Each structure stands twice: as structure tokens, then as C-alpha cells.
């Protein structure tokens, strides 16, 4: 069931106009992780100098960590800029996620997050 739902997520992401995505599969074509960035926000060319970052500890049916990146616009409205299903909560997983985000939103200079060491290392490295 999880494999079918992972395929459905992959297929829906590919056709979305709201979200640009990157889905990673293993060599055996098994779902590994997926990243999504808000294409609508990016199309408006909002200045996003800082973002808020947080992740969950595998509280979904895939048992994968979910990370979200929020930003505020000039009218103090909060938006989900980017989110993803990570392989795990290691520096390497966070690094892949932040590299994806930076590819789409390279002007972000400040990340506000909790004291998660792997997350902090990954943001500094990217």
C-alpha cells in the first residue's frame, strides 16, 4: 500500500502547477524522499530573506520525517515555501533538502530553527 501511495505522490507531484518537486528513488525504484517548493510564491518573486524551519519525527503513514519551511510576506502572511519527506533526520538528508531549496530560492540568508544539530550543520554547509 505504501508503494502504491508513494507512486501516486510521485505522479501527482509531476503534474502540479502549485509545487515544483524532486522525488528520489532507490536503484530498485523504491521511494526514498521527496522535496516540494511553492512555485506560486516563487513566481511572485517575493523577497524571502529569512525562513522558519522545523521537522517532525516520523509521524505519518510512511514513517518518514517531514520538514517544512515557512516564510512571511510583506503583509505578514505566513506561507509554506518548501516541504519534504526525508529519508531520515541526518545531516546528509537535511543537506539534500536545503540544496533543493537553495536551488529554487537562493536569496534566503537566515534560517530560524530549533537546536537540531544535523539541521544546523546542513544549513551552514549549503
Amino acid at each position: 500500500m505504501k508503494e502504491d501511495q508513494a507512486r501516486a505522490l510521485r505522479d501527482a507531484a509531476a503534474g502540479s502547477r502549485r509545487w515544483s518537486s524532486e522525488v528520489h528513488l532507490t536503484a530498485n525504484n523504491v521511494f526514498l524522499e521527496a522535496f516540494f517548493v511553492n512555485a506560486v510564491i516563487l513566481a511572485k518573486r517575493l523577497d524571502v530573506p529569512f525562513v522558519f524551519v522545523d521537522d517532525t519525527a516520523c509521524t505519518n503513514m510512511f514513517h518518514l520525517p517531514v520538514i517544512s519551511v515557512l516564510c512571511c510576506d510583506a503583509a505578514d502572511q505566513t506561507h509554506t515555501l518548501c516541504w519534504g519527506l526525508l529519508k531520515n533526520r541526518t545531516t546528509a538528508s537535511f543537506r539534500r533538502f536545503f540544496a533543493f531549496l537553495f536551488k529554487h530560492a537562493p536569496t534566503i540568508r537566515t534560517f530560524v530553527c530549533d537546536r537540531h544539530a544535523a539541521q544546523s550543520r546542513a544549513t551552514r554547509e549549503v
Side-chain angles (χ1 to χ4, degrees), residues 62-76:
F62 296 110
H63 302 290
L64 296 171
V66 176
I67 187 167
S68 63
V69 177
L70 305 178
C71 67
C72 293
D73 62 19
D76 284 332

PDB file of all heavy atoms in Angstrom, residues 62-76:
ATOM      1  N   PHE A  62       4.115   6.959   6.199  1.00  0.00           N
ATOM      2  CA  PHE A  62       5.357   6.464   5.603  1.00  0.00           C
ATOM      3  C   PHE A  62       6.456   6.271   6.650  1.00  0.00           C
ATOM      4  O   PHE A  62       7.501   5.729   6.351  1.00  0.00           O
ATOM      5  CB  PHE A  62       5.859   7.440   4.529  1.00  0.00           C
ATOM      6  CG  PHE A  62       4.926   7.574   3.364  1.00  0.00           C
ATOM      7  CD1 PHE A  62       4.218   8.737   3.162  1.00  0.00           C
ATOM      8  CD2 PHE A  62       4.749   6.537   2.464  1.00  0.00           C
ATOM      9  CE1 PHE A  62       3.359   8.881   2.090  1.00  0.00           C
ATOM     10  CE2 PHE A  62       3.892   6.652   1.384  1.00  0.00           C
ATOM     11  CZ  PHE A  62       3.196   7.823   1.197  1.00  0.00           C
ATOM     12  N   HIS A  63       6.232   6.755   7.854  1.00  0.00           N
ATOM     13  CA  HIS A  63       7.237   6.711   8.933  1.00  0.00           C
ATOM     14  C   HIS A  63       8.522   7.418   8.508  1.00  0.00           C
ATOM     15  O   HIS A  63       9.624   6.965   8.790  1.00  0.00           O
ATOM     16  CB  HIS A  63       7.513   5.278   9.376  1.00  0.00           C
ATOM     17  CG  HIS A  63       6.273   4.587   9.851  1.00  0.00           C
ATOM     18  ND1 HIS A  63       5.642   4.926  11.028  1.00  0.00           N
ATOM     19  CD2 HIS A  63       5.519   3.617   9.276  1.00  0.00           C
ATOM     20  CE1 HIS A  63       4.571   4.174  11.166  1.00  0.00           C
ATOM     21  NE2 HIS A  63       4.461   3.385  10.121  1.00  0.00           N
ATOM     22  N   LEU A  64       8.352   8.527   7.808  1.00  0.00           N
ATOM     23  CA  LEU A  64       9.476   9.359   7.366  1.00  0.00           C
ATOM     24  C   LEU A  64       9.354  10.733   8.009  1.00  0.00           C
ATOM     25  O   LEU A  64       8.249  11.228   8.204  1.00  0.00           O
ATOM     26  CB  LEU A  64       9.466   9.515   5.840  1.00  0.00           C
ATOM     27  CG  LEU A  64       9.663   8.247   5.024  1.00  0.00           C
ATOM     28  CD1 LEU A  64       9.415   8.536   3.549  1.00  0.00           C
ATOM     29  CD2 LEU A  64      11.062   7.684   5.233  1.00  0.00           C
ATOM     30  N   PRO A  65      10.472  11.364   8.305  1.00  0.00           N
ATOM     31  CA  PRO A  65      10.416  12.736   8.815  1.00  0.00           C
ATOM     32  C   PRO A  65       9.852  13.685   7.757  1.00  0.00           C
ATOM     33  O   PRO A  65      10.143  13.544   6.568  1.00  0.00           O
ATOM     34  CB  PRO A  65      11.875  13.075   9.104  1.00  0.00           C
ATOM     35  CG  PRO A  65      12.611  11.787   9.089  1.00  0.00           C
ATOM     36  CD  PRO A  65      11.835  10.854   8.231  1.00  0.00           C
ATOM     37  N   VAL A  66       9.059  14.642   8.193  1.00  0.00           N
ATOM     38  CA  VAL A  66       8.532  15.694   7.322  1.00  0.00           C
ATOM     39  C   VAL A  66       9.173  17.003   7.768  1.00  0.00           C
ATOM     40  O   VAL A  66       9.203  17.308   8.954  1.00  0.00           O
ATOM     41  CB  VAL A  66       7.001  15.810   7.417  1.00  0.00           C
ATOM     42  CG1 VAL A  66       6.493  16.975   6.584  1.00  0.00           C
ATOM     43  CG2 VAL A  66       6.339  14.512   6.988  1.00  0.00           C
ATOM     44  N   ILE A  67       9.701  17.755   6.815  1.00  0.00           N
ATOM     45  CA  ILE A  67      10.298  19.053   7.125  1.00  0.00           C
ATOM     46  C   ILE A  67       9.493  20.130   6.415  1.00  0.00           C
ATOM     47  O   ILE A  67       8.990  19.911   5.306  1.00  0.00           O
ATOM     48  CB  ILE A  67      11.781  19.107   6.711  1.00  0.00           C
ATOM     49  CG1 ILE A  67      12.426  20.406   7.190  1.00  0.00           C
ATOM     50  CG2 ILE A  67      11.952  18.887   5.226  1.00  0.00           C
ATOM     51  CD1 ILE A  67      13.939  20.423   7.097  1.00  0.00           C
ATOM     52  N   SER A  68       9.340  21.273   7.061  1.00  0.00           N
ATOM     53  CA  SER A  68       8.644  22.392   6.426  1.00  0.00           C
ATOM     54  C   SER A  68       9.447  23.668   6.614  1.00  0.00           C
ATOM     55  O   SER A  68      10.134  23.841   7.617  1.00  0.00           O
ATOM     56  CB  SER A  68       7.236  22.566   7.005  1.00  0.00           C
ATOM     57  OG  SER A  68       7.308  22.879   8.370  1.00  0.00           O
ATOM     58  N   VAL A  69       9.338  24.529   5.622  1.00  0.00           N
ATOM     59  CA  VAL A  69       9.998  25.831   5.631  1.00  0.00           C
ATOM     60  C   VAL A  69       8.919  26.871   5.385  1.00  0.00           C
ATOM     61  O   VAL A  69       8.239  26.841   4.361  1.00  0.00           O
ATOM     62  CB  VAL A  69      11.087  25.923   4.542  1.00  0.00           C
ATOM     63  CG1 VAL A  69      11.713  27.302   4.524  1.00  0.00           C
ATOM     64  CG2 VAL A  69      12.141  24.842   4.747  1.00  0.00           C
ATOM     65  N   LEU A  70       8.751  27.763   6.348  1.00  0.00           N
ATOM     66  CA  LEU A  70       7.729  28.805   6.258  1.00  0.00           C
ATOM     67  C   LEU A  70       8.378  30.161   6.047  1.00  0.00           C
ATOM     68  O   LEU A  70       9.496  30.402   6.519  1.00  0.00           O
ATOM     69  CB  LEU A  70       6.899  28.844   7.542  1.00  0.00           C
ATOM     70  CG  LEU A  70       6.242  27.544   7.972  1.00  0.00           C
ATOM     71  CD1 LEU A  70       5.508  27.736   9.292  1.00  0.00           C
ATOM     72  CD2 LEU A  70       5.304  27.025   6.908  1.00  0.00           C
ATOM     73  N   CYS A  71       7.663  31.043   5.357  1.00  0.00           N
ATOM     74  CA  CYS A  71       8.147  32.406   5.160  1.00  0.00           C
ATOM     75  C   CYS A  71       6.984  33.368   5.365  1.00  0.00           C
ATOM     76  O   CYS A  71       5.822  32.964   5.363  1.00  0.00           O
ATOM     77  CB  CYS A  71       8.752  32.585   3.775  1.00  0.00           C
ATOM     78  SG  CYS A  71       7.568  32.457   2.416  1.00  0.00           S
ATOM     79  N   CYS A  72       7.297  34.623   5.550  1.00  0.00           N
ATOM     80  CA  CYS A  72       6.283  35.670   5.699  1.00  0.00           C
ATOM     81  C   CYS A  72       6.432  36.662   4.552  1.00  0.00           C
ATOM     82  O   CYS A  72       7.546  36.974   4.136  1.00  0.00           O
ATOM     83  CB  CYS A  72       6.457  36.412   7.020  1.00  0.00           C
ATOM     84  SG  CYS A  72       6.111  35.395   8.451  1.00  0.00           S
ATOM     85  N   ASP A  73       5.294  37.164   4.078  1.00  0.00           N
ATOM     86  CA  ASP A  73       5.348  38.180   3.031  1.00  0.00           C
ATOM     87  C   ASP A  73       5.273  39.572   3.666  1.00  0.00           C
ATOM     88  O   ASP A  73       5.234  39.714   4.889  1.00  0.00           O
ATOM     89  CB  ASP A  73       4.250  37.956   1.987  1.00  0.00           C
ATOM     90  CG  ASP A  73       2.841  38.059   2.552  1.00  0.00           C
ATOM     91  OD1 ASP A  73       2.657  38.643   3.647  1.00  0.00           O
ATOM     92  OD2 ASP A  73       1.916  37.564   1.888  1.00  0.00           O
ATOM     93  N   ALA A  74       5.234  40.600   2.846  1.00  0.00           N
ATOM     94  CA  ALA A  74       5.227  41.981   3.333  1.00  0.00           C
ATOM     95  C   ALA A  74       3.978  42.306   4.145  1.00  0.00           C
ATOM     96  O   ALA A  74       3.988  43.225   4.962  1.00  0.00           O
ATOM     97  CB  ALA A  74       5.359  42.948   2.162  1.00  0.00           C
ATOM     98  N   ALA A  75       2.891  41.555   3.941  1.00  0.00           N
ATOM     99  CA  ALA A  75       1.646  41.775   4.689  1.00  0.00           C
ATOM    100  C   ALA A  75       1.578  40.880   5.930  1.00  0.00           C
ATOM    101  O   ALA A  75       0.518  40.701   6.509  1.00  0.00           O
ATOM    102  CB  ALA A  75       0.450  41.500   3.783  1.00  0.00           C
ATOM    103  N   ASP A  76       2.705  40.318   6.332  1.00  0.00           N
ATOM    104  CA  ASP A  76       2.807  39.422   7.495  1.00  0.00           C
ATOM    105  C   ASP A  76       1.948  38.166   7.376  1.00  0.00           C
ATOM    106  O   ASP A  76       1.493  37.618   8.376  1.00  0.00           O
ATOM    107  CB  ASP A  76       2.488  40.164   8.797  1.00  0.00           C
ATOM    108  CG  ASP A  76       3.640  41.044   9.244  1.00  0.00           C
ATOM    109  OD1 ASP A  76       4.799  40.720   8.913  1.00  0.00           O
ATOM    110  OD2 ASP A  76       3.387  42.046   9.925  1.00  0.00           O
TER     111      ASP A  76
END
